[in-house]
């Protein structure tokens, strides 16, 4: 990678983007045995849209304006050429492609709701059929520009384990690069269960990171109170992290990589602090039995095997990056969702990263994601040089000494519970 | 309150203590109709203990030593005279009394498991019977020293609403001062449901704060992985907070006070930041419908009606107190649980509060709890003067100017999203 001089443009990889066909167009990718079920699914769309509107997830006035203002760009949700144009416009050289291009009206929902709503209690047969349909289309879609897209295969992991493992290998061979599992197992076995060991082994063997993505939540508990949903929707995709960790899955499968997408990363410092202290014998845990399935503190597994696709990172989160781990934070644009940074990514990056050291910015904006998802940075280099914003574009000063110094105390303290400090130091030194 | 000179001893109120009878002794407090069910419950004790040991919540070696070393003091779990001796020893003038004195062996579990394990899916009839038994005993227990104890009535809130409301009034008249509801409604109506409005109204009318306390969790999902349980056991009691908030319960019932006990308070800054931004129109929520049930930002409801019984506060949490709100943090000793500070509370306080301003320490150690739970500080003053540690005992310097100054920047930034700052400032200024 030749991105070494200060003024070089950034190689930006969005670790959280979305693509999906207008739902009815999935038909040719779906096993014909399920076409009748697909008709039933299509017939239920209006009812689902009404339910979303009632909960307030869908705002009619916003939706009208959004589709009117962005008609052309939104076609990039499924049209490869349009997509490249949008990525270029945002300065994004490559991307990780999750399902559900349309997060406003669900017009591009994968069959049987296996997209971001993928859930453990799905009918296993329909779930696998819908996932395969999306995965087949996605493999075609990414093949137009394989260096720039890492397609995320949908994996209904609570289905029959042999089928799940077979789909991992099929997805890998078809050109996909990661696996999305449901955030919630619901009535199926939780992810500490050894029944999933062949799945984690296959993910490790194929080098495909396993990811949860926010979306599913126990909505039946929320009534029509949207704030409840939004307040905890990021907790459910994070939850598998401590199920995998404490059950020793990261110890048994050192090649397994696990990530949490579009759920922010503000929650990670507290979680690490809490889990490390528990493992290292905090007072509050003395009455409990030891944790035999781990061989090292939770934060070591985190740094080795866990990442967060933190999407549109907030300043508050960046201030905590020495606790989270700079290399564990993978920025994303969330294209083409309205809660993301598209089509104003360049301005967002400037507002967010102007006082962050350039070296760390390079990691969070692209290089860390390249390692996790296996992007070929050499192949991406000419694209980044053509479209990528430079540090100057982000308002980052050429003289980085003062910038580095302003964060020195925060970096030095880092994870304070491991560096013999009593609390973190946040904020730029005066 | 005459606690105004720097050197005055602290009035310490523990907002999280526990008391309960050795289980079999609850029989006389239980409606005789349920004595046969009580025999069945007692017969199941050994099986429950084995289950706890398997999950690792109970550590045989620790338990033996704990009971051996603290035999006399632990009788304070149900013996009023012994209890006063232990409180005095710790410098604690008054306390809020939750159930389950024994958190190691569950020898003092309330009938039918309605103590800290109180859960929404409990048999409503047995649950109410067990709660009433504990509440009757507890009213007797606190009556020995009414100024020093605020007894927390157990309230199986998912039972018949009329019975629940009646029990609130009965508990109040019997001398109890707060209400513990289950953290989890499980298969019953979530707490946003309007069916609970008469309950919240009765709590407000009687001036009894409603509290959840950590303990219950979906253990059936954890297998024998204790770390999973511990990693999320504090989330479940916090969860009702955003169900009540977003459904407008605090708006409809301005006299309702709600608290979360023994779940720390490290999670509160992120939650407030997240919820306030959502309400105030953060970019990520623009596609969503407005939040009609609130009339002000979530943090305003928090400051007006919510508190945390943060128990054994950690230095990391105290560093975040200007985001949490100093007056929202209620310290607790957790007597007589081993994860608490008893019998070394004075040393714990010194380690934890030595560089915290005295005025703020007074609020967190007692005065805020006095307001929330309605303690009579005038009645407690002579006790505090006799047993309370002084600021000097806590290592706090007589000249507070330098201490105040060292936190000035952190205090000034406070909740940064409301003070036009980009992230919090944590840590003592150099």
């Amino acid at each position: 990678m030749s991105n070494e001089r200060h003024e070089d443009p950034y190689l930006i990889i969005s670790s959280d983007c979305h693509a999906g066909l207008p739902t009815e167009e999935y038909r040719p990718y779906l096993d014909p045995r399920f076409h009748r079920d697909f008709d039933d699914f299509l017939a239920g769309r209006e009812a689902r849209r009404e339910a979303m509107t009632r909960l307030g997830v869908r705002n009619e006035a916003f939706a009208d304006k959004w589709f009117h203002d962005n008609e052309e760009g939104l076609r990039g949700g499924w049209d490869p050429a349009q997509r490249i144009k949008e990525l270029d416009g945002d300065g994004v050289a490559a991307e990780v492609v999750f399902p559900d291009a349309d997060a406003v009206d669900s017009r591009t929902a994968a069959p049987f709701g296996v997209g971001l709503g993928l859930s453990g209690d799905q009918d296993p047969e329909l779930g696998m059929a819908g996932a395969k349909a999306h995965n087949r289309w996605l493999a075609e879609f990414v093949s137009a520009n394989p260096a720039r897209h890492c397609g995320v295969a949908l994996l209904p992991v609570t289905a029959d384990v042999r089928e799940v493992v077979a789909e991992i290998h099929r997805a890998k061979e078809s050109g996909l690069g990661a696996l999305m599992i449901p955030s919630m197992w619901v009535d199926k076995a939780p992810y500490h269960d050894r029944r999933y060991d062949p799945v984690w082994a296959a993910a490790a063997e194929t080098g495909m990171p396993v990811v949860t993505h926010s979306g599913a939540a126990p909505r039946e508990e929320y009534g029509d109170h949207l704030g409840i949903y939004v307040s905890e929707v990021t907790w459910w995709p994070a939850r598998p992290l401590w199920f995998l960790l404490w059950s020793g899955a990261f110890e048994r499968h050192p090649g397994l990589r696990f990530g949490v997408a579009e759920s922010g990363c503000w929650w990670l410092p507290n979680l690490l602090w809490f889990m490390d202290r528990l493992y290292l014998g905090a007072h509050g845990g003395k009455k409990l039995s030891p944790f035999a399935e781990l061989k090292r503190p939770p934060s070591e597994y985190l740094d080795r095997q866990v990442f967060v696709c933190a999407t549109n990172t907030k300043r508050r989160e960046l201030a905590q990056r020495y606790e989270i781990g700079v290399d564990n934070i993978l920025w994303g644009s969330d294209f083409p969702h309205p809660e993301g940074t598209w089509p104003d990514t360049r301005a967002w990056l400037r507002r967010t990263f102007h006082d962050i050291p350039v070296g760390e910015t390079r990691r969070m904006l692209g290089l860390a994601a390249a390692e996790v998802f296996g992007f070929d940075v050499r192949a991406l280099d000419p694209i980044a040089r053509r479209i990528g914003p430079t540090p100057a574009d982000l308002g980052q000063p050429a003289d980085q000494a003062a910038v580095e110094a302003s964060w020195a105390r925060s970096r030095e303290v880092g994870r304070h519970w491991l560096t013999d400090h009593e609390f973190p130091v946040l904020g730029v030194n005066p």
Side-chain angles (χ1 to χ4, degrees), chain A:
Chain A
M1 181 60 193
S2 49
N3 250 316
E4 276 169 15
R5 290 177 314 166
H6 171 81
E7 64 270 30
D8 280 343
Y10 278 105
L11 166 58
I12 299 185
I13 299 177
S14 167
S15 71
D16 180 33
C17 287
H18 297 270
L21 274 178
T23 304
E24 57 280 5
E25 297 181 27
Y26 275 108
R27 188 180 299 271
Y29 298 93
L30 188 64
D31 184 328
R33 282 193 296 143
F34 299 98
H35 280 182
R36 188 168 298 176
D37 295 301
F38 190 54
D39 291 334
D40 294 344
F41 174 73
L42 290 175
R45 275 190 294 184
E46 197 45 49
R48 286 192 294 276
R49 191 171 297 148
E50 276 166 24
M52 298 288 273
T53 305
R54 206 187 60 238
L55 178 60
V57 172
R58 185 171 169 279
N59 174 328
E60 197 81 42
F62 177 88
D64 289 348
K65 182 164 161 46
W66 174 252
F67 288 111
H68 177 268
D69 291 354
N70 300 287
E71 193 184 350
E72 182 180 310
L74 287 172
R75 277 208 311 277
W78 57 90
D79 175 315
Q82 183 69 40
R83 190 172 190 92
I84 291 297
K85 205 172 140 190
E86 302 303 327
L87 294 178
D88 284 1
D90 262 0
V92 174
E95 58 161 357
V96 178
V97 188
F98 286 91
D100 285 347
D102 176 8
V104 173
D105 248 5
S106 299
R107 297 177 192 172
T108 63
F112 314 125
V114 293
L116 296 180
L118 188 66
S119 187
D121 61 347
Q122 199 134 31
D123 176 282
E125 210 184 6
L126 288 184
M128 193 56 90
K132 283 181 180 170
H134 177 80
N135 296 347
R136 288 184 192 114
W137 168 74
L138 185 63
E140 264 182 41
F141 181 79
V142 301
S143 71
N145 287 283
R148 297 190 68 173
H149 312 293
C150 171
V152 180
L154 301 176
L155 195 68
V157 75
T158 57
D160 177 79
V161 167
R162 280 163 308 178
E163 277 195 67
V164 171
V165 169
E167 182 59 11
I168 293 175
H169 289 286
R170 204 199 59 71
K172 175 71 178 182
E173 283 154 25
S174 78
L176 300 181
L179 304 162
M180 186 180 110
I181 63 170
S183 298
M184 301 168 67
W185 42 84
V186 196
D187 56 347
K188 301 302 190 302
Y191 295 161
H192 64 70
D193 198 295
R194 291 296 191 105
R195 81 184 292 279
Y196 297 111
D197 265 347
V199 178
W200 313 142
E205 185 194 332
T206 56
M208 293 173 98
V210 173
V211 192
T212 54
H213 188 292
S214 62
R219 294 189 191 210
E220 71 284 359
E221 292 188 80
Y222 303 151
D224 54 1
H225 305 291
L226 178 65
I228 300 174
Y229 169 70
V230 182
S231 295
E232 62 174 58
V233 66
T234 58
W235 184 81
W236 297 97
R239 195 180 187 212
L241 170 51
W242 52 92
F243 276 71
L244 292 171
L245 182 113
W246 290 113
S247 62
F250 296 131
E251 181 61 40
R252 292 195 303 283
H253 306 281
L256 173 66
R257 302 290 308 250
F258 175 75
V260 183
E262 204 174 345
S263 304
C265 55
W266 66 82
W267 44 273
L268 202 44
N270 282 330
L271 181 70
L272 281 181
W273 167 73
F274 189 88
M275 296 200 305
D276 269 2
R277 286 174 62 255
L278 179 62
Y279 180 84
L280 295 168
H283 173 71
K286 281 179 188 158
K287 74 176 185 186
L288 311 170
S289 285
F291 302 97
E293 271 138 332
L294 304 197
K295 298 220 185 325
R296 60 202 82 226
S299 61
E300 290 192 28
Y301 292 105
L302 189 102
D303 289 343
R304 192 174 81 179
Q305 295 175 255
V306 178
F307 56 95
V308 277
C309 301
T311 314
N312 183 2
T313 47
K314 305 301 180 296
R315 295 276 291 161
R316 181 180 172 92
E317 296 175 311
L318 292 184
Q320 297 176 292
R321 68 193 181 280
Y322 301 117
E323 291 194 285
I324 299 168
V326 171
D327 272 354
N328 300 324
I329 301 174
L330 281 47
W331 176 88
S333 71
D334 203 19
F335 171 79
H337 290 181
E339 58 270 39
T341 60
W342 176 77
D344 304 309
T345 294
R346 291 168 197 269
W348 272 98
L349 292 177
R350 187 180 172 102
R351 279 199 299 276
T352 310
F353 287 92
H354 59 89
D355 61 353
I356 307 293
V358 169
E360 296 177 1
T361 307
R362 292 200 188 280
R363 300 293 308 169
M364 292 186 279
L365 288 187
L367 298 184
E371 288 171 17
V372 168
F373 291 99
F375 285 96
D376 180 348
V377 293
R378 208 179 303 260
L380 293 173
D381 189 52
I383 300 167
R385 289 184 178 277
R386 178 169 56 81
I387 64 168
T390 62
D393 292 335
L394 266 50
Q396 294 171 322
D399 178 2
Q400 284 283 296
V403 177
E404 295 278 355
S406 75
W407 292 98
R409 178 85 183 126
S410 186
R411 185 171 54 240
E412 178 193 317
V413 171
R415 291 176 183 155
H416 62 89
W417 59 96
L418 299 175
T419 61
D420 208 25
H421 292 86
E422 297 190 298
F423 31 76
V425 172
L426 297 190
V428 180
N429 300 7

